[in-house]
Amino acid sequence: VGVQIFFIISGFLYGSKQITNPVQWFLKNTKKILLPYYLFLIPVIVLYYIFAPANIDFGSTIRSLLCIGTIDGIGNLWFVGYILFCYLITPILYEMTLYLESKSTRHSLLFISIFMLLFYALATLTNFYFKPYRILCYIIGFFIPLFIRKRGNVILKYLLCLAIPATIISKFIYLYLIDAQPEMNGISHIEGMSHLFFGISLTFGLMFLLKRINHLEILNFSDKYSYSIYIVHQLLILSPFTLMAITHNVVANIIIVLMFISMFGIILQKTATAIDNQVSKYIKF
């Protein structure tokens, strides 16, 4: 449930910030996501057409460029479209928090619950490209700071008391159905919701366990390069350009792959930063 945890944390962090100019905020964060993405994707597409044409076609190329699909071997890039959609709805979520700031906790819970149910129902009925239970992770994370401001950190304990039993129950239901009625419609939704509850349980459970640990310098490196490393990593593991079989020694292969992932990730991030600095001299976001 790493995906769910990431979306919850992202929502939580953005829900703790102010958005004074929604358009500027969206453009700034979109640039931060898309610049490294295209710096990586476009050269890789060229490499695919030259050295692995069987793994790429025109449709997957266009979909990946539009962030609504991926290319065989670098499927991890599905995440980019999702986070862009989350950024798109963030100003709306922020306006909702401003409206709910002066409302009671009960009123806020009811309002947000209805909003999430309507979003989930609409996304399901329209066969929305973005899986709604992943987006719900971001939405839930976004509204948690609102309730912390209202009730303090005790709200996290209440959330855990609800999420942990919901995780156990939904997991048992999913496992039963996948064994007894594997062709039943709607099983994927139960699985998605069980991941959502499990992600909530782990995220806020770890917040309690780790809140007393002092800040580590490695976190600064992780924060700076994690996105670019995420973008490049699967190319060297699962794509036609994998290095996982470069030698006959598995351990050596893993070490080599980790080294190249880190190197390419750092180069990608530094290149994107340099280009951004140059562009920012002429275009202000």
Side-chain angles (χ1 to χ4, degrees):
V1 290
V3 168
Q4 286 73 18
I5 291 174
F6 180 87
F7 280 123
I8 294 169
I9 292 173
S10 297
F12 182 86
L13 294 175
Y14 282 116
S16 305
K17 298 179 180 179
Q18 289 187 332
I19 301 176
T20 55
N21 187 323
V23 174
Q24 186 181 46
W25 183 93
F26 178 73
L27 291 176
K28 179 181 178 181
N29 284 280
T30 298
K31 178 182 65 171
K32 180 178 67 177
I33 292 295
L34 288 182
L35 185 54
Y37 176 72
Y38 286 124
L39 281 174
F40 169 78
L41 181 64
I42 293 173
V44 167
I45 288 175
V46 174
L47 288 174
Y48 263 83
Y49 275 106
I50 295 173
F51 299 107
N55 296 84
I56 193 171
D57 55 41
F58 180 76
S60 63
T61 301
I62 296 301
R63 287 191 295 272
S64 63
L65 289 171
L66 295 175
C67 301
I68 54 171
T70 60
I71 296 169
D72 181 35
I74 47 175
N76 60 304
L77 297 183
W78 67 264
F79 159 80
V80 174
Y82 272 80
I83 198 64
L84 288 176
F85 179 79
C86 288
Y87 285 166
L88 183 64
I89 65 173
T90 294
I92 300 172
L93 300 178
Y94 180 72
E95 291 299 321
M96 291 172 61
T97 61
L98 294 180
Y99 165 75
L100 296 171
E101 200 73 53
S102 60
K103 305 298 181 182
S104 67
T105 302
R106 183 178 298 179
H107 180 105
S108 300
L109 279 171
L110 180 62
F111 184 92
I112 293 168
S113 298
I114 293 174
F115 169 76
M116 290 194 298
L117 285 171
L118 289 174
F119 170 79
Y120 195 93
L122 183 63
T124 303
L125 290 173
T126 58
N127 197 24
F128 197 40
Y129 169 76
F130 302 106
K131 294 180 180 179
Y133 38 82
R134 288 176 175 170
I135 305 299
L136 284 184
C137 290
Y138 182 86
I139 295 173
I140 290 171
F142 190 92
F143 284 119
I144 292 301
L146 171 68
F147 291 105
I148 290 177
R149 291 193 295 270
K150 288 177 178 291
R151 302 296 296 271
N153 286 327
V154 69
I155 197 71
L156 299 181
K157 295 181 180 179
Y158 294 146
L159 188 64
L160 283 173
C161 289
L162 292 173
I164 292 174
T167 300
I168 296 170
I169 293 170
S170 59
K171 285 292 183 185
F172 271 110
I173 293 173
Y174 170 72
L175 290 172
Y176 169 76
L177 290 176
I178 204 69
D179 181 61
Q181 302 182 52
E183 303 301 322
M184 177 182 172
N185 291 329
I187 288 182
S188 63
H189 291 280
I190 297 173
E191 180 186 23
M193 295 308 294
S194 70
H195 285 352
L196 184 150
F197 293 133
F198 193 23
I200 292 172
S201 302
L202 284 176
T203 302
F204 296 109
L206 287 170
M207 283 180 64
F208 280 114
L209 292 174
L210 303 178
K211 63 182 179 180
R212 296 185 182 278
I213 294 180
N214 294 328
H215 179 80
L216 302 175
E217 187 62 30
I218 188 65
L219 298 179
N220 292 330
F221 177 87
S222 173
D223 178 58
K224 186 175 183 179
Y225 296 107
S226 60
Y227 175 59
S228 56
I229 286 174
Y230 174 82
I231 288 178
V232 306
H233 82 278
Q234 196 160 309
L235 180 73
L236 302 177
I237 299 174
L238 296 175
S239 81
F241 308 101
T242 178
L243 298 180
M244 289 300 293
I246 194 170
T247 74
H248 296 293
N249 186 292
V250 175
V251 175
N253 292 340
I254 292 173
I255 293 172
I256 291 170
V257 166
L258 289 175
M259 289 174 57
F260 273 94
I261 288 173
S262 300
M263 181 178 68
F264 288 157
I266 292 171
I267 291 173
L268 177 62
Q269 183 59 44
K270 287 186 176 296
T271 304
T273 301
I275 293 174
D276 184 33
N277 291 337
Q278 291 299 315
V279 172
S280 296
K281 294 179 180 179
Y282 306 99
I283 303 175
K284 298 294 183 182
F285 287 103

